[in-house]
Amino acid sequence: MIERNRNHPVISKKKYLMQEKKILFIINPISGGKNKDFLPDLIRSTINNNIPYDILEWQSASQDIEKEISKKIEEENFNILVAAGGDGTINRMASFVKGKNITLGILPFGSGNGLARFLKIPLTTEKAIDLILTGKEVIIDSGKINDKDFFCTAGVGFDAHIGALFAKAGKRGPMTYIKKITSEFNKYKPSLYNLEIDGKTYSEEAFLITFANANQWGNEAQIAPGADIQDGFLNITLIKSVSLLSAPVIASRLYLKNIHKSEDVITFAGKKIVVKREEDGPVHFDGDPGMMGKEITVEICPASLRIIVPSKSLLK
């Protein structure tokens, strides 16, 4: 039996499942680097007034969209919130919905789409909208790194370092990301980390450490192939070192789904992880960068997010 942390409320099922669908679509026009001008009309033609719905578009990055969503939910009783955008938008809307009896739907427009890919949500927009109408609702776990929610992965080390540089870059897109990796790879050195995982302590030098609720960073790069988004645990993948010779092998293992078999990798599973490092530095949560201190707490939030997945999904 999975222990439930009282600090992370578990969503109740029965009362909510009796409600009728009422959908609020949230579109972030600038996220993911993909044009979404067509989306409102596509939503209207697909829904065709068969279900009550509304569309709310972000006007700017500084907009307090959560305040506007809360007002609409209070006034019009929406019970499904559909986020259209990249991984950062999905994270922000999932954080808003987390712990509430409101269901999250995803229209993926990101470059990685880690959570959507893990949940088998279609990347084709028309099919993703159709899934909102025909899919089933399940409850999944989420994670927290200090005060930041994550739903796919979070981490420290090289990938967090690149994420911080990428966020400051003038241009977005995969080529910018690849250029950052290429320019920084030889400069970056593994750091010493002291980990406490559910009371057990470990000390390791690591190139990077990923805390995984789902199995991948995005684009099917599976950093934690065995991750189960409903088991009440986080999977932890620690890559000890990466050289020019080993990098291609490790990269291929991500897509072969066997990174855990590498001699340069250590894996763990746990509910609460305390990370101690030698200095403050970058972290990432679902790809979004941030800065945190020498001590970081990472923990699972069991059964905390209601979400729509394909009706044939093995998730329950």
Side-chain angles (χ1 to χ4, degrees), residues 106 112-123 138 140-141 151-153 212-222 224-231 307 309-310 313-315:
I106 296 177
N113 298 312
L115 185 61
R117 289 176 188 272
F118 177 83
L119 296 173
K120 308 300 182 188
I121 293 170
L123 302 184
V138 300
I140 63 172
D141 303 333
F151 302 87
C152 201
T153 62
N213 186 41
N215 63 10
Q216 62 181 272
W217 284 326
N219 289 313
E220 300 299 344
Q222 297 200 9
D228 181 339
I229 208 163
Q230 292 181 313
D231 67 353
I307 196 164
V309 299
S313 172
L314 296 178
L315 297 177

Side-chain angles (χ1 to χ4, degrees), residues 11 18-19 23 38 41 53 133 144-145 153-154 167-168 171 189 193 199 202 208 211-212 216-217 248 298 309:
I11 296 173
M18 296 172 65
Q19 295 184 38
I23 307 171
F38 70 95
D41 285 342
Y53 76 95
L133 305 177
K144 208 165 187 68
I145 178 165
T153 62
K168 296 175 183 177
K171 291 184 178 180
K189 304 299 180 186
Y193 295 91
Y202 308 86
L208 64 84
F211 310 98
Q216 62 181 272
W217 284 326
V298 187
V309 299

Side-chain angles (χ1 to χ4, degrees), residues 161-193:
H161 172 67
I162 294 299
L165 294 177
F166 183 71
K168 296 175 183 177
K171 291 184 178 180
R172 308 289 285 182
M175 285 309 299
T176 302
Y177 201 80
I178 291 169
K179 286 179 181 178
K180 292 296 180 187
I181 291 173
T182 303
S183 65
E184 294 294 315
F185 183 81
N186 284 332
K187 304 177 192 175
Y188 192 84
K189 304 299 180 186
S191 298
L192 179 65
Y193 295 91

Side-chain angles (χ1 to χ4, degrees), residues 30-80:
I30 62 172
S31 74
K34 297 178 181 177
N35 189 292
K36 305 177 194 69
D37 292 345
F38 70 95
L39 188 52
D41 285 342
L42 181 60
I43 290 170
R44 294 183 189 104
S45 63
T46 304
I47 302 294
N48 198 24
N49 293 321
N50 291 323
I51 293 174
Y53 76 95
D54 200 356
I55 300 171
L56 181 60
E57 295 190 59
W58 288 14
Q59 302 303 313
S60 69
S62 61
Q63 183 180 358
D64 187 356
I65 196 73
E66 287 86 354
K67 183 177 180 180
E68 296 185 36
I69 294 170
S70 295
K71 183 179 179 182
K72 276 192 165 289
I73 289 174
E74 184 179 347
E75 292 176 350
E76 302 179 51
N77 297 314
F78 291 104
N79 51 34
I80 297 175

Side-chain angles (χ1 to χ4, degrees), residues 11-12 16 19 22 24 69-70 73-74 77-82 93-94 96-105 137-138 304-307:
I11 296 173
S12 61
Y16 179 80
Q19 295 184 38
K22 196 169 185 183
L24 179 59
I69 294 170
S70 295
I73 289 174
E74 184 179 347
N77 297 314
F78 291 104
N79 51 34
I80 297 175
L81 185 68
V82 177
M93 293 300 95
F96 174 83
V97 168
K98 176 185 169 183
K100 300 181 176 74
N101 277 327
I102 299 172
T103 301
L104 180 72
E137 298 166 1
V138 300
S304 53
L305 180 69
R306 187 182 295 276
I307 196 164

Side-chain angles (χ1 to χ4, degrees), residues 101-310:
N101 277 327
I102 299 172
T103 301
L104 180 72
I106 296 177
L107 301 183
F109 281 86
S111 55
N113 298 312
L115 185 61
R117 289 176 188 272
F118 177 83
L119 296 173
K120 308 300 182 188
I121 293 170
L123 302 184
T124 304
T125 306
E126 293 89 339
K127 292 180 179 179
I129 296 173
D130 186 62
L131 174 64
I132 303 302
L133 305 177
T134 62
K136 67 179 182 180
E137 298 166 1
V138 300
I139 297 173
I140 63 172
D141 303 333
S142 63
K144 208 165 187 68
I145 178 165
N146 282 2
D147 61 339
K148 297 295 185 180
D149 293 311
F150 66 94
F151 302 87
C152 201
T153 62
V156 296
F158 183 69
D159 55 337
H161 172 67
I162 294 299
L165 294 177
F166 183 71
K168 296 175 183 177
K171 291 184 178 180
R172 308 289 285 182
M175 285 309 299
T176 302
Y177 201 80
I178 291 169
K179 286 179 181 178
K180 292 296 180 187
I181 291 173
T182 303
S183 65
E184 294 294 315
F185 183 81
N186 284 332
K187 304 177 192 175
Y188 192 84
K189 304 299 180 186
S191 298
L192 179 65
Y193 295 91
N194 292 306
L195 304 175
E196 181 182 315
I197 304 173
D198 294 342
K200 295 182 180 180
T201 58
Y202 308 86
S203 182
E204 294 285 348
E205 276 202 345
F207 186 73
L208 64 84
I209 307 174
T210 294
F211 310 98
N213 186 41
N215 63 10
Q216 62 181 272
W217 284 326
N219 289 313
E220 300 299 344
Q222 297 200 9
I223 187 64
D228 181 339
I229 208 163
Q230 292 181 313
D231 67 353
F233 289 89
L234 291 170
N235 285 40
I236 304 142
T237 300
L238 183 152
I239 300 181
K240 293 186 285 185
S241 62
V242 181
S243 66
L244 284 174
L245 289 175
S246 65
V249 176
I250 289 175
S252 66
R253 284 188 178 278
L254 290 170
Y255 294 97
L256 292 171
K257 307 176 186 179
N258 61 10
I259 186 74
H260 56 293
K261 294 183 179 180
S262 170
E263 61 183 15
D264 294 315
V265 170
I266 306 173
T267 60
F268 309 90
K271 298 179 181 181
K272 183 176 181 180
I273 306 101
V274 178
V275 182
K276 294 181 180 179
R277 54 186 177 177
E278 296 171 323
E279 56 187 25
D280 299 355
V283 303
H284 78 83
F285 32 92
D286 290 340
D288 273 0
M291 293 293 292
M292 292 184 182
K294 295 178 182 178
E295 183 169 320
I296 300 165
T297 299
V298 187
E299 55 189 325
I300 193 72
C301 307
S304 53
L305 180 69
R306 187 182 295 276
I307 196 164
I308 298 175
V309 299

